[in-house]
Amino acid sequence: MADHDTTTLIHHPYRPPAGFEAPQVGVHKASTVVFRDVAAMRARDWQHKDGYTYGLHGTPTTFTLEARIAHLEHGRHTLLAPSGLAAIALVDLALLGQGDELLIPSNAYGPGKSLARQQLARYGVGHRLYDPMDPQSLADTIGPATRLVWLEAPGSVTMEFPDLRALLAVARERGVTTALDNTWGAGIAFDGFDLGDGLGADIVMQALTKFPSGGGDVLMGSVTTRDDALHLKLKMAHMDLGLGVGANDAEAVLRSLPSIALRYHAHDRSARALAAWLQARPEIARVLHPALEGSPGHAHWRATCSAAAGLFSVVFDARHTPAQVDAFVDALRLFRIGYSWGGPVSLVVPYDLGSMRNPVPYQGTLVRFSIGLEAEADLRDDLAQALARLD
Ligand SMILES: *Cc1c(COP(=O)(O)O)cnc(C)c1O
């Protein structure tokens, strides 16, 4: 992300009501938007953003957030959904029908896989998993019914960074639409629409819940595109499904967006320092952080990214039992036990890889850390005191 992108996120065109010249965007709340007369009502088209028709179709607050997320992702159109998972569901439901097939990386965000397994299957949509670290696996898995390929970088929890360009090239060669879950990159680490050589995802989705919100207090998702026809297809599904976001939540994200790059780089700095520190500890067998030498896909991360999120996992040496690792997690004081990431509070979750992945990629218990905005030295002291109890 270039520095001037941050400037544009702050100065993106927004017209305050006449006579109220404040750059901050107001909270516009409405279900009903009234029209001057019947002719004006009939002339207004909800598909275009030159006017307002109904709260669900957008307000000045949500239109502004959509425009700014589109800018952050270097796309043209953005739709907002009530959560990151709802944004994934929107993409799937808009593009897939009976007899179609969807491909998902084997290390993808778990609920996206569950959605395919439990819901899409009931509508006659099939899905298969591919190994994102092997582009040939994607080539072998694409079949005549494949209509959509999801990409995610890095993988959820196990943090492998794939060769996105190679995966996109395979999908393009086979003429299949691609959707990238860009929650980790957040529009800052790399450009999901332009990874070089003219390769980029058709759709870039993000859980705004994470870095754009930054507060741990909002659930929201975005679906961004460059192509007008693809956007319209997604917008129709968005409308038919009745997806909308609350104005207060949209304003909370707008308020956090100007500081997203500063926060992202602060999370990144602390996470890399703590990951390197943990790598040197005898209790830890592996640290999985794409910016760390030796981590799976590190070379792809280096070729693709200018930064990394504040997220990494560690695999404990197998001599430490899962119960001991749970006790380590319980002993942490600053790190709080909880899902999600991108907020000010550092978080930790132990994962049972055996229930998530087949085959299981690592022996030993895995713990994922989300590094918040606390002082790095305090977080290191917290890790040290909890590790000391292990032995
Ligand atoms: C959190 C997350 C989501 C889902 O976001 P929610 O707003 O929690 O539904 C999707 N993808 C990734 C990679 C995430 O980390």
Side-chain angles (χ1 to χ4, degrees):
M1 184 194 204
D3 282 347
H4 68 82
D5 281 331
T6 298
T7 307
T8 315
L9 276 180
I10 299 168
H11 288 274
H12 191 275
Y14 159 73
R15 272 179 289 117
F20 185 72
E21 299 301 323
Q24 280 68 28
V25 182
V27 181
H28 296 275
K29 301 175 79 162
S31 51
T32 299
V33 176
V34 296
F35 302 93
R36 191 180 63 249
D37 52 30
V38 173
M41 185 177 82
R42 293 201 175 124
R44 201 72 62 79
D45 179 357
W46 66 271
Q47 290 185 29
H48 298 112
K49 288 191 171 175
D50 50 8
Y52 303 96
T53 49
Y54 186 61
L56 198 51
H57 307 157
T59 66
T61 312
T62 59
F63 277 10
T64 305
L65 180 55
E66 287 170 0
R68 291 189 183 180
I69 297 298
H71 179 80
L72 179 71
E73 300 278 28
H74 293 173
R76 291 188 59 199
H77 310 284
T78 292
L79 295 163
L80 300 175
S83 68
L85 183 54
I88 294 173
L90 167 62
V91 173
D92 289 350
L93 291 171
L95 302 186
L96 300 166
Q98 191 170 23
D100 292 342
E101 190 176 69
L102 155 76
L103 304 187
I104 306 174
S106 55
N107 59 2
Y109 178 68
K113 291 193 251 180
S114 171
L115 164 69
R117 199 169 52 238
Q118 315 227 70
Q119 306 303 325
L120 298 178
R122 296 192 298 118
Y123 299 94
V125 175
H127 79 280
R128 285 196 282 168
L129 304 180
Y130 69 92
D131 175 1
M133 299 308 283
D134 176 14
Q136 188 58 44
S137 161
L138 176 60
D140 294 343
T141 313
I142 291 182
T146 307
R147 295 287 170 273
L148 177 64
V149 172
W150 272 100
L151 308 163
E152 190 175 326
S156 263
V157 182
T158 43
M159 309 298 295
E160 305 92 343
F161 207 97
D163 184 347
L164 285 174
R165 283 205 294 196
L167 297 175
L168 288 165
V170 168
R172 169 182 292 186
E173 194 192 305
R174 307 287 285 274
V176 180
T177 302
T178 49
L180 168 74
D181 183 333
N182 203 25
T183 304
W184 179 94
I188 294 174
F190 64 96
D191 181 345
F193 287 109
D194 182 9
L195 287 137
D197 298 338
L199 290 161
D202 298 308
I203 298 167
V204 176
M205 166 266 156
Q206 196 179 143
L208 305 181
T209 306
K210 309 290 168 55
F211 292 108
S213 150
D217 53 359
V218 175
L219 288 157
M220 202 179 291
S222 62
V223 175
T224 302
T225 45
R226 283 185 171 177
D227 182 81
D228 295 345
L230 185 56
H231 168 68
L232 201 58
K233 198 166 180 178
L234 289 156
K235 193 175 170 79
M236 280 308 300
H238 185 265
M239 152 90 165
D240 290 337
L241 292 167
L243 299 179
V245 303
N248 289 93
D249 284 347
E251 188 271 345
V253 178
L254 280 167
R255 192 169 168 184
S256 293
L257 265 186
S259 64
I260 187 172
L262 292 174
R263 290 183 283 106
Y264 193 91
H265 293 305
H267 290 290
D268 182 6
R269 265 193 310 277
S270 291
R272 279 199 232 192
L274 293 168
W277 181 81
L278 281 164
Q279 200 163 34
R281 293 286 307 207
E283 299 89 347
I284 305 297
R286 289 201 74 161
V287 177
L288 307 171
H289 183 314
L292 228 60
E293 200 94 42
S295 218
H298 170 68
H300 303 314
W301 173 83
R302 185 187 288 278
T304 310
C305 296
S306 60
L311 207 67
F312 63 84
S313 295
V314 302
V315 181
F316 275 80
D317 189 284
R319 78 188 135 95
H320 299 297
T321 64
Q324 285 178 318
V325 174
D326 285 355
F328 156 81
V329 170
D330 284 337
L332 290 164
R333 296 181 191 131
L334 289 176
F335 285 89
R336 308 304 301 272
I337 301 166
Y339 299 108
S340 201
W341 32 277
V345 178
S346 289
L347 298 170
V348 59
V349 181
Y351 281 94
D352 173 16
L353 280 179
S355 69
M356 295 168 65
R357 294 275 293 281
N358 182 20
V360 179
Y362 302 107
Q363 295 308 317
T365 305
L366 183 145
V367 173
R368 191 190 65 193
F369 295 97
S370 157
I371 305 304
L373 296 172
E374 302 93 337
E376 179 204 314
D378 292 340
L379 294 174
R380 194 170 47 232
D381 288 349
D382 192 25
L383 292 167
Q385 64 82 20
L387 283 173
R389 296 174 175 220
L390 261 180
D391 302 315

